[in-house]
Amino acid sequence: MVMMMMMMQQQNSSAQPQPQPQSQSTASATAATANNSSLRSPTTAAAAATHAPRQAIPIAAAADHAIGPVVVPISVEPPVATTMLPRVRLSDVAPYDGAPAGPYLKAVEALSGSLMRHNAAVIELGSEDAAIMRCGLEAARLYFRTKSQTVGKGSRGVYMYRAGRALEDWDSSPPCMADIFRCMGKAARAALFAIARHLRLRSDVFNHLLDDTPLPANEVSSSVLVATYSPASLQNGKGAIGAIGGGKPAMNGEVEKGLLTLISSDSPGLQVCDPNGRWYLADGGSAPGDLLLITGKALSHATAGLRPAALYRAAPDFVSCSNGGGRTSLAFRLMPQGNAILDCSPIAAAGHVIPQSYVPISVSQFMDDLSAEEDGLCNRSDNTYSRCTICSAEIETGSLVPNLALRAAAVAIKQEDDRRLFHNAALRKRRKEMGDQMDPMRRSNRENGDATTTDDGLNRGVQYPFSVNEKVLIKGNRRTPEKFVGKEAVITSQCLNGWYLLNIIGSGENVRLQYRSLRKILNSQTIEDSCPSHQVQNSSS
């Protein structure tokens, strides 16, 4: 019996190692499944790991029995998605007289909501304006294609149009630029009005920053219309000079400097970064009659950061053009005037909190600071060498020594100019207010022939309130002799600095007195009353 039990134990012990190949095959299959899943996607690999059998072998055993090469998962940047932005009709958001209606309130809310969620919005034009935009895009495409035949194939074309600028004889431009400028300018102002209304401001609160409509004679517009053409050969960002033309390309995107920008194109090709840092194709579902709206740095400063500037860039693969011949775009940049002041006081008056960094600043200085910052970023990222302006020799940028004294002097001059600008504006306002208060007083003084000056010297009295051959009464002052006080005289001539030459009635003496010592005779009764007294005095003497 004992012998039989020992034989059964030996059989069981010899039979136990047999399932080992099965576990090895299971481990190999599990490793192969994990490798294949890592090649497909990280999500599929995670799912395969979740559903793997629980009888997993130890890590050391798996390393000893590894079959085939070890595959390391590679992280690939996810493709840029296309976001369908809310569409707002220009007819719904355009300002009008009267009480606000439901479509206007909904359009303002939709426009501002799209800017807050996506940093961009789409404005849908009417049929007439859409036809103008399609005509402008076709005209710009034909213009650049014709010009490329003389300049060279494969070159990118950019044309900037400003209203009021006279064209020279040798200067040519794409057709319909003036009509497109008016059409997009109208849409840009309507969008700016809607943004102001959503911030609980007057719709025209930013009008002092804009050009007058229409422009005065011989004045060039601050806003600019940029027509851009990019051939299909310049894909993947090669040869680009900015996403919408006129700017400097940047690896991390571009930022608009002005108030806002409207973009119309014949094919997709512009990406925008949303507030979460995600890039998306903003004009993927836009038609030539649609305008893509993005806000700029100037509006961000004027609203104390409530409407931040959008970050955009050219799509690296816009080869999916509908026409296959490149991409044409029209961008309208609504720019503030150079002599205007970016001030956040209306934002504070509306109850919003203003950070201390948003101080009043002139537009010219604001743009200069942005340009200097942009140049510094470009120099640090792209340019290792700079070129001398005299001998054209290459100089290493790191060896250049900044002129700190010149920079400090330039900053001091700008600060002094801004201080004078604000001081002069406040002084003009104070003079106007004091002038309005002093007008009734000066009018009464002129009627009485009495001219006085204010203590601060802002409003000066009339120095010649009397005319020649006019009869006056000498009231006298500290310089007037006592014998002439109370007598009447006739003005014979006018002298400098408010002095008159008088002929005393009765005695015939000539005396030179200032206008302050004289007074007009109000009526003839005073003269008749004073004449007998003089006759009595003369007879008594």
Side-chain angles (χ1 to χ4, degrees), residues 168-356:
E168 303 293 342
D169 296 337
W170 59 84
D171 190 8
S172 61
S173 65
C176 308
M177 287 290 103
D179 296 333
I180 296 173
F181 189 92
R182 286 193 293 267
C183 176
M184 300 185 76
K186 175 181 64 176
R189 288 175 181 262
L192 188 63
F193 292 167
I195 292 173
R197 287 299 296 268
H198 189 264
L199 296 176
R200 304 192 303 271
L201 305 173
R202 285 181 55 91
S203 58
D204 58 349
V205 70
F206 301 117
N207 277 4
H208 68 283
L209 302 174
L210 305 177
D211 295 328
D212 194 8
T213 51
L215 285 170
N218 301 324
E219 183 173 330
V220 181
S221 65
S222 302
S223 303
V224 60
L225 174 63
V226 183
T228 310
Y229 174 70
S230 300
S233 59
L234 296 180
Q235 56 183 345
N236 298 327
K238 295 179 180 179
I241 55 175
I244 57 178
K248 296 182 179 180
M251 297 299 295
N252 298 327
E254 304 175 36
V255 180
E256 174 60 31
K257 297 180 181 179
L259 295 170
L260 53 86
T261 300
L262 295 177
I263 306 168
S264 176
S265 59
D266 57 0
S267 59
L270 193 68
Q271 296 177 358
V272 177
C273 185
D274 63 7
N276 297 324
R278 184 181 64 91
W279 289 93
Y280 67 93
L281 188 63
D283 55 354
S286 300
D290 297 335
L291 301 179
L292 179 65
L293 168 65
I294 55 178
T295 53
K297 281 282 191 178
L299 183 61
S300 176
H301 190 91
T303 58
L306 296 178
R307 284 294 171 268
L311 191 66
Y312 63 92
R313 68 185 181 186
D317 49 353
F318 58 87
V319 293
S320 60
C321 301
S322 58
N323 46 28
R327 180 175 182 269
T328 307
S329 64
L330 297 171
F332 180 85
R333 288 172 167 166
L334 186 64
M335 303 293 293
Q337 301 182 79
N339 57 354
I341 303 296
L342 296 175
D343 191 6
C344 304
S345 55
I347 301 295
H352 300 285
V353 178
I354 300 179
Q356 296 181 356

Side-chain angles (χ1 to χ4, degrees), residues 301 340-343 359-366 369 418 422:
H301 190 91
I341 303 296
L342 296 175
D343 191 6
V359 296
I361 185 174
S362 62
V363 174
S364 58
Q365 181 180 351
F366 183 77
D369 294 343
D418 292 341
F422 289 117

